[in-house]
Amino acid sequence: MKKNTKLTLCLVTLLAAVALLGAVYLAARPSPVTGEKSIAVTVVHADKSEKIFRYETDAEYLGSVLMEDGLVKGEQGAYGLYIKEVDGEVADFAVNGAYWALFEGEEYATTGIDATVLEDGDQFSLVYTLG
Amino acid sequence: MAGQVALFGVLGALTFAAKVAMMALPNIEPVSLLIMVYAVTLGKKCLFPMYIYVILELLLYGIGIWSIGYLYVWAILALAAWLLRDMKSPLGWALVAGGFGLLFGALFTPVCLLLGGPAFALSWWLSGIPFDLIHCGANFALVLILFVPLRRLMTRLLAERF
């Protein structure tokens, strides 16, 4: 097989893989849920003290609820909202490697706070974590 | 010998600095390009600048899914580049880098499997697909334009100095 034909085949394969992955993502991503939901957010501070915040909301994403309430403050970055402050406590990675980790139930969240879709009964935790 | 040690340190630091400089751009990074250049010009010695870069990542960002994965993902790319070292086509190199970018999230799934189980690994990979698509496109473009001239430059500099 000529070298150019091989490269063309590889290019077509890569483009097909891109299209396939895009389709998998669109099919598998969680869809926003409309209607009212009850959610709970547990904040675990640096001193290990815990506070539970409960919300009744029509919002579709966690970030919008917590930002609107003022529980969370942060900066919009390339990967979405980066949480800097929760319930008045700042986690500054540049100072001591601290950050706010988001958990959905017991699992470490795989999406940012502003891309986390809400469902009725969801329970989240925001945990002050030292990296 | 001392010159080579200094070179590896500088290349590792340069890789880290280039990554930090482009950090504001999601998954658009120069590390893949540089690791590939090091692999084809330094051979197995590319492991030194590569792991200096990884150590700098660990020191700055601590231990997490990303940093554990970094212990092997760059080695996979370096090995692929070294095996294909006779290839001359810029498009061929761009395809290697684009394919690596597309698989980047999938390459971290072993770490996610160990840390959180199959559901966590699948969820991690799926939620990262948009970033993998960006990574693929950015790697493809960067390597298509820069790999061949950087390889030529590095080969000439190594021949002149070592």
Side-chain angles (χ1 to χ4, degrees):
Chain A
M1 200 185 296
K2 282 185 177 174
K3 203 194 282 181
N4 281 348
T5 316
K6 269 188 193 170
L7 283 176
T8 309
L9 271 178
C10 289
L11 182 60
V12 170
T13 306
L14 184 68
L15 290 173
V18 165
L20 181 68
L21 271 192
V24 166
Y25 175 73
L26 290 176
R29 69 176 173 173
S31 311
V33 179
T34 53
E36 191 163 304
K37 299 131 212 152
S38 296
I39 64 162
V41 179
T42 303
V43 177
V44 182
H45 284 279
D47 62 3
K48 307 293 176 201
S49 64
E50 293 188 10
K51 272 194 207 172
I52 299 176
F53 298 82
R54 298 184 192 281
Y55 300 93
E56 304 289 327
T57 179
D58 287 329
E60 294 175 342
Y61 295 95
L62 179 62
S64 56
V65 180
L66 303 189
M67 291 288 281
E68 199 177 296
D69 180 55
L71 181 67
V72 164
K73 290 177 185 160
E75 290 169 0
Q76 204 64 36
Y79 296 93
L81 182 76
Y82 179 71
I83 303 170
K84 299 279 282 188
E85 183 182 326
V86 177
D87 191 28
E89 179 161 20
V90 174
D92 192 340
F93 193 87
V95 172
N96 59 351
Y99 62 96
W100 284 101
L102 173 65
F103 290 82
E104 288 186 64
E106 299 295 314
E107 299 281 323
Y108 191 79
T110 55
T111 51
I113 192 167
D114 49 354
T116 300
V117 172
L118 293 178
E119 288 182 28
D120 190 34
D122 273 346
Q123 302 210 2
F124 299 96
S125 304
L126 283 161
V127 181
Y128 183 96
T129 307
L130 289 170
Chain B
M1 179 67 184
Q4 279 201 350
V5 171
L7 173 72
F8 299 148
V10 168
L11 292 178
L14 174 79
T15 307
F16 184 70
K19 155 87 180 286
V20 171
M22 292 177 74
M23 236 164 69
L25 309 168
N27 277 29
I28 302 175
E29 46 81 9
V31 181
S32 304
L33 166 71
L34 294 173
I35 296 286
M36 288 167 67
V37 172
Y38 301 159
V40 295
T41 53
L42 296 171
K44 63 186 174 191
K45 288 180 183 169
C46 77
L47 294 176
F48 292 113
M50 194 175 81
Y51 279 106
I52 287 170
Y53 159 70
V54 171
I55 288 166
L56 289 172
E57 282 272 347
L58 285 164
L59 287 175
L60 189 68
Y61 301 116
I63 293 173
I65 290 171
W66 287 109
S67 44
I68 296 170
Y70 274 17
L71 294 173
Y72 63 87
V73 292
W74 301 115
I76 292 171
L77 178 63
L79 179 65
W82 183 78
L83 290 172
L84 294 164
R85 62 192 179 279
D86 293 330
M87 183 165 67
K88 301 279 181 261
S89 162
L91 177 61
W93 287 110
L95 286 166
V96 172
F100 176 74
L102 200 61
L103 292 172
F104 200 69
L107 290 171
F108 285 84
T109 50
V111 183
C112 298
L113 262 173
L114 286 174
L115 293 179
F120 177 67
L122 182 65
S123 171
W124 168 275
W125 173 66
L126 284 172
S127 63
I129 285 177
F131 296 108
D132 288 339
L133 295 177
I134 296 169
H135 202 176
C136 171
N139 266 8
F140 186 92
L142 273 177
V143 169
L144 183 68
I145 297 165
L146 293 174
F147 179 82
V148 170
L150 277 180
R151 178 184 193 172
R152 198 179 301 133
L153 176 69
M154 185 85 171
T155 305
R156 185 166 60 78
L157 289 174
L158 286 172
E160 282 173 9
R161 314 247 169 197
F162 297 98

